[in-house]
């Protein structure tokens, strides 16, 4: 298994991360059929057996934090846990104040049955009421040892640039980037923000859905014309130069006129 150290941290994570949205304690919901605890635990057991130590969950994944915490009892030290704040009241959840971020962390710690979270991320930009206040609170949580690092999810170019302009660079940006959900061209994020996504700055994390559940693959920061992460034993893909992609009418969207987009090569090694 290949590993990467998340920027500005001592967190050494596997390039493959298990997405735990589908872990719901055998309670079906609008997103997933019921998944028995035994199935969830078997997934976690297999990941650890293969050297996968990175697990992604969220406050908004109904039942997921509780199940993951239970699955990792007695072996918390072997795992890197990423969770998120957002969706505490469902889709219509308003933005979080600093106090509500603190409350969300407290609840996640209890559900996960741990006294620290390795990576806490804002699930969407809309869940941050005041950016400066939120960052101050996240840094306070790091100083308290309740979280070890902080990052973001689903942040488009404007969102990231606003952080960079404040002198703040999150450890990660977890984005949807697959055949079913193409959130935006990650190379365009690099150009818009005026910074290279090198390994010592920002770690993009790609969502690669596979049969049987939600799984993730770490994308290596790359300052060249394309992004070429690869893993052993999972999806392997190559994204060729996407010159010709331009900003679309909505935040985080792109319109690609490059005929070479068809050169995207996907393979799966099982």
């Amino acid at each position: 298994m290949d590993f990467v150290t998340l920027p500005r941290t001592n967190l050494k994570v596997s390039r493959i991360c298990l997405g735990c949205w589908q872990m719901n304690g055998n309670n079906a919901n609008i997103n997933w059929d019921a998944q028995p605890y035994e199935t969830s635990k078997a997934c976690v057991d297999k990941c650890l057996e293969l050297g996968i130590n990175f697990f992604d969950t969220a406050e908004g994944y109904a039942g997921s934090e509780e199940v993951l915490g239970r699955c990792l009892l007695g072996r918390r030290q072997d795992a890197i846990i990423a969770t998120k704040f957002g969706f505490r009241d469902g889709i219509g959840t308003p933005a979080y104040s600093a106090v509500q971020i603190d409350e969300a962390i407290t609840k996640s710690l209890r559900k996960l049955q741990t006294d620290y979270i390795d990576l806490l991320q804002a699930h969407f930009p809309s869940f941050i009421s005041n950016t400066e206040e939120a960052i101050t609170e996240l840094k306070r949580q790091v100083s308290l040892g309740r979280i070890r690092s902080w990052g973001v999810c689903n942040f488009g170019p404007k969102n990231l640039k606003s952080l960079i302009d404040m002198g703040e660079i999150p450890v990660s940006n977890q984005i949807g980037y697959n055949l079913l959900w193409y959130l935006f061209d990650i190379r365009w994020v690099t150009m818009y923000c005026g910074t290279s996504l090198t390994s010592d700055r920002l770690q993009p994390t790609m969502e690669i859905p596979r049969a049987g559940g939600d799984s993730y693959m770490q994308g290596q920061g790359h300052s060249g014309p394309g992004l070429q992460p690869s893993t052993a034993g999972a999806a392997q893909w190559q994204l060729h130069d996407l010159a010709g992609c331009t900003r679309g009418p909505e935040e985080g969207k792109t319109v690609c006129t490059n005929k070479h987009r068809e050169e995207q090569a996907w393979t799966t090694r099982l």
Side-chain angles (χ1 to χ4, degrees):
M1 180 57 59
D2 293 333
F3 292 85
V4 62
T5 300
L6 295 181
R8 302 176 307 284
T9 77
N10 62 354
L11 301 176
K12 188 177 181 181
V13 302
S14 52
R15 284 209 178 275
I16 301 173
C17 176
L18 178 68
C20 301
W21 189 6
Q22 73 279 7
M23 296 182 181
N24 54 27
N26 209 31
N27 294 305
N29 54 53
I30 192 172
N31 298 301
W32 297 96
D33 293 333
Q35 183 175 96
Y37 167 75
E38 292 75 17
T39 300
S40 301
K41 185 175 183 298
C43 291
V44 173
D45 291 347
K46 192 63 177 180
C47 282
L48 293 175
E49 177 188 331
L50 295 173
I52 298 170
N53 70 343
F54 198 12
F55 299 90
D56 173 76
T57 183
E59 175 186 29
Y61 299 167
S64 175
E65 289 180 316
E66 293 94 330
V67 174
L68 180 61
R70 183 181 171 192
C71 289
L72 290 173
L73 283 177
R75 46 188 180 174
R76 171 67 179 91
Q77 70 280 359
D78 299 327
I80 302 295
I81 297 177
T83 192
K84 318 174 192 69
F85 67 87
F87 294 111
R88 66 179 182 275
D89 300 320
I91 294 178
T93 299
Y96 286 51
S97 65
V99 170
Q100 290 167 325
I101 292 174
D102 177 75
E103 292 172 348
I105 292 171
T106 298
K107 291 178 181 177
S108 290
L109 290 171
R110 174 177 53 79
K111 293 176 180 178
L112 288 163
Q113 300 187 59
T114 184
D115 56 6
Y116 66 95
I117 293 166
D118 297 294
L119 174 61
L120 179 74
Q121 302 175 110
H123 210 145
F124 276 89
S126 58
F127 290 125
I128 294 179
S129 176
N130 180 288
T131 302
E132 185 174 354
E133 179 185 76
I135 291 174
T136 298
E137 178 59 22
L138 292 170
K139 288 181 175 180
R140 186 181 78 88
Q141 294 290 336
V142 171
S143 70
L144 293 174
R146 284 166 37 104
I147 67 174
R148 298 175 69 185
S149 61
W150 64 272
V152 296
C153 295
N154 305 303
F155 270 49
K158 282 187 176 181
N159 306 130
L160 285 176
K161 188 174 186 300
S162 68
L163 291 178
I164 293 170
D165 288 346
M166 293 173 60
E168 303 291 346
I169 302 178
V171 166
S172 60
N173 183 22
Q174 182 176 310
I175 58 175
Y177 198 92
N178 54 65
L179 290 174
L180 301 178
W181 184 27
Y182 188 76
L183 190 61
F184 50 74
D185 177 10
I186 193 165
R187 184 168 179 259
W188 189 81
V189 175
T190 304
M191 292 186 292
Y192 190 95
C193 294
T195 181
S196 295
L197 298 182
T198 52
S199 59
D200 62 344
R201 292 179 69 77
L202 175 67
Q203 185 71 48
T205 307
M206 313 303 182
E207 297 185 36
I208 310 293
R210 301 182 66 210
D214 196 18
S215 61
Y216 295 77
M217 176 166 58
Q218 282 291 100
Q220 182 179 11
H222 187 67
S223 57
L227 186 63
Q228 298 179 302
S230 64
T231 67
Q236 181 185 33
W237 56 277
Q238 241 185 3
L239 174 61
H240 297 271
D241 189 356
L242 289 183
C245 289
T246 58
R247 183 170 182 272
E250 300 177 28
E251 164 63 15
K253 302 292 185 181
T254 57
V255 177
C256 188
T257 58
N258 186 349
K259 63 180 180 181
H260 299 296
R261 181 178 178 186
E262 296 176 358
E263 293 179 1
Q264 291 187 27
W266 292 79
T267 62
T268 300
R269 294 187 296 153
L270 301 175

